[in-house]
Structures are given as C-alpha cells and as structure tokens.
C-alpha cells in the first residue's frame, strides 16, 4: 500500500466519525467502524500477534475464503496498514475536535487533549494497542507514514505544553520531556485498561487530567 493509498483509506475510515459529528461528539464511542475483514484481522493480531497470524485464520474468522480476503487486501501487511491507518486517523480527528472545543485557554486545551487521549485508548484499546505494538512489523513506506502520523499527533501535545510555559500558565522547566511523558502515560491505557475495572473511561480521564496538570506545574 502506498502513502497515497493509506491516506485515502484513512479518509474513508473516519467517514463514520465525521458523520457522527466529531466536533460535537469526540467523547462518544459506538462501533469502531472497521469493515469485517479488518475486524477479523484485529482480533487475530490481538490474540496471536501479527507474525503468529495467517491469512487463512483471518479469512476463517471473517467468514471468507482466502481469495476473498485478498480481493480486498492484497497482503497481511495491507491488513495491518488498514488497521493502523484507521487508528491514527480517528485519533487525529477526535484530538483536533477536542482542541477546537477547548478554544484558546491553554489549561483547557491540556485538559481536553488528555481527556481525548485517555478516552480513545480506553474505548479503542485493541485498535490502539496493535497500532502501537506492531510498528515493528510495518515495512518501508508504510512504516514511514505511520511514524509521521504518530509524530504529528505528538506535536499537538508539544504545542500545548510549550504554549502554556510561554504564557506562564505551566511552570515545568522541561516542556518537551513532560509532553512526551503525558502522551506516553495516556497511550499506555490501552495496555492495561479493562471495562470491568474500578473506573469508567470518563472517571479515568478525569484523574489523568489532574495528573497532567500536576506534571506541567499548572494551577
């Protein structure tokens, strides 16, 4: 899959998010919008890992023949790229909508971006987990495209923290390191969060908002 193909897939993947009104509903989560083949591949990758999964297993889970899978996705790598592209595109759409809602107040921008990251990695934990953990399995231009999308996402937090320090709203002496620490803390939610745990996603997000403010040295 070329970079252009990945971008096209990403735009198509977030159509359901856009139609639901991301700007007004970035906190809302329903169906993940993955087509059946990608849903089957995601389940297999979560259970067995990318390298431990065969196209035949994906086909069986999706209720298709092997040629049926190849009709939509020419390789196992293309399945992984489809999943990762969906994850990064949806996270970007929700994050930019959260920042738009926050407006110019830098403290609120930090709050809502952290909330968005935590909600996404709790509600989309399997999608987010594979996107993060299977970068090792991505090749060539697909890997480069993913890293660019990840870095673009990180820059959202970098900008918020740096702006807060410049305005005197945050007192940390290490804005870049703090920014990466906050994002890492939020994205790690996908590794351990369970729906039957102590906290709901909104409750967890509220705690993380407080921790993020403490980390940047905000009031």
């Amino acid at each position: 899959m070329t970079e252009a193909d990945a971008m096209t897939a990403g735009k198509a993947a977030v159509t359901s998010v856009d139609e639901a009104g991301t700007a007004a509903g970035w906190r809302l989560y329903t169906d993940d919008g993955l087509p059946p083949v990608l849903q089957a591949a995601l389940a297999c990758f979560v259970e067995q890992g990318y390298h431990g999964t065969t196209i035949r297993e994906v086909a069986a889970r999706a209720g298709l023949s092997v040629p049926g899978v190849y009709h939509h996705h020419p390789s196992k790598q293309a399945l992984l790229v489809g999943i990762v592209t969906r994850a990064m595109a949806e996270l970007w759409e929700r994050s930019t909508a959260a920042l738009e809602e926050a407006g110019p107040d830098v403290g609120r921008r930090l709050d809502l971006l952290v909330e968005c990251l935590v909600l996404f990695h709790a509600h989309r934990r399997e999608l987010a987990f594979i996107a993060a953990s299977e970068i090792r399995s991505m090749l060539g231009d697909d890997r480069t495209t993913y890293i660019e999308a990840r870095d673009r996402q990180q820059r959202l937090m970098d900008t918020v923290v740096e702006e807060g320090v410049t305005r005197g709203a945050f007192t940390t002496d290490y804005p870049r390191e703090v920014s990466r620490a906050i994002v890492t803390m939020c994205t790690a939610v996908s590794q351990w969060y369970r729906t039957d745990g102590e906290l709901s996603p909104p409750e967890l997000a509220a705690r993380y908002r407080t921790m993020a403010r403490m980390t940047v040295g905000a009031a």
Side-chain angles (χ1 to χ4, degrees), residues 26 91 94-96 98-99 102 107-119 153-161 179 182-183 186 209:
W26 56 267
L91 179 58
R94 291 182 182 275
S95 297
T96 53
L99 290 172
R108 183 161 172 76
R109 290 173 72 80
L110 175 67
D111 285 344
L112 297 199
L113 185 54
V114 167
E115 180 180 354
C116 180
L117 289 171
V118 173
L119 291 180
Q153 180 70 39
Q154 175 65 48
R155 284 194 294 272
L156 291 179
M157 184 64 74
D158 293 344
T159 299
V160 169
V161 176
S179 174
I182 292 172
V183 170
C186 294
R209 284 171 54 156

Side-chain angles (χ1 to χ4, degrees), residues 118 121-122 125 184-193 204 208:
V118 173
H121 287 84
R125 58 191 184 281
T184 300
M185 174 179 73
C186 294
T187 57
V189 167
S190 67
Q191 300 177 26
W192 60 265
Y193 184 77
L204 183 64
Y208 272 57

Side-chain angles (χ1 to χ4, degrees), residues 25-31 90 94 116 119-120 123-124:
W26 56 267
R27 295 180 180 87
L28 303 179
Y29 284 85
T30 53
D31 185 81
E90 183 179 352
R94 291 182 182 275
C116 180
L119 291 180
F120 181 84
H123 285 290
R124 298 281 193 258

Side-chain angles (χ1 to χ4, degrees), residues 18 24 31 39 85 108 142 145 174 182-183 199:
D18 291 337
D31 185 81
Q39 288 179 341
T85 299
R108 183 161 172 76
D142 295 325
T145 299
Y174 310 107
I182 292 172
V183 170
L199 300 174

Side-chain angles (χ1 to χ4, degrees), residues 82-173:
I83 290 169
V84 169
T85 299
R86 175 67 174 85
M88 297 308 296
E90 183 179 352
L91 179 58
W92 177 261
E93 290 289 325
R94 291 182 182 275
S95 297
T96 53
L99 290 172
E100 181 180 352
E101 179 183 321
D105 182 273
V106 71
R108 183 161 172 76
R109 290 173 72 80
L110 175 67
D111 285 344
L112 297 199
L113 185 54
V114 167
E115 180 180 354
C116 180
L117 289 171
V118 173
L119 291 180
F120 181 84
H121 287 84
H123 285 290
R124 298 281 193 258
R125 58 191 184 281
E126 292 186 346
L127 191 66
F129 175 74
I130 292 300
S133 64
E134 290 296 354
I135 183 178
R136 60 195 174 189
S137 303
M138 300 186 73
L139 306 173
D141 290 342
D142 295 325
R143 180 184 175 91
T144 300
T145 299
Y146 168 77
I147 291 174
E148 289 173 350
R150 183 193 63 188
D151 291 348
R152 181 178 71 158
Q153 180 70 39
Q154 175 65 48
R155 284 194 294 272
L156 291 179
M157 184 64 74
D158 293 344
T159 299
V160 169
V161 176
E162 288 168 2
E163 183 180 351
V165 171
T166 299
R167 294 186 183 184
F170 305 157
T171 61
T172 178
D173 293 326

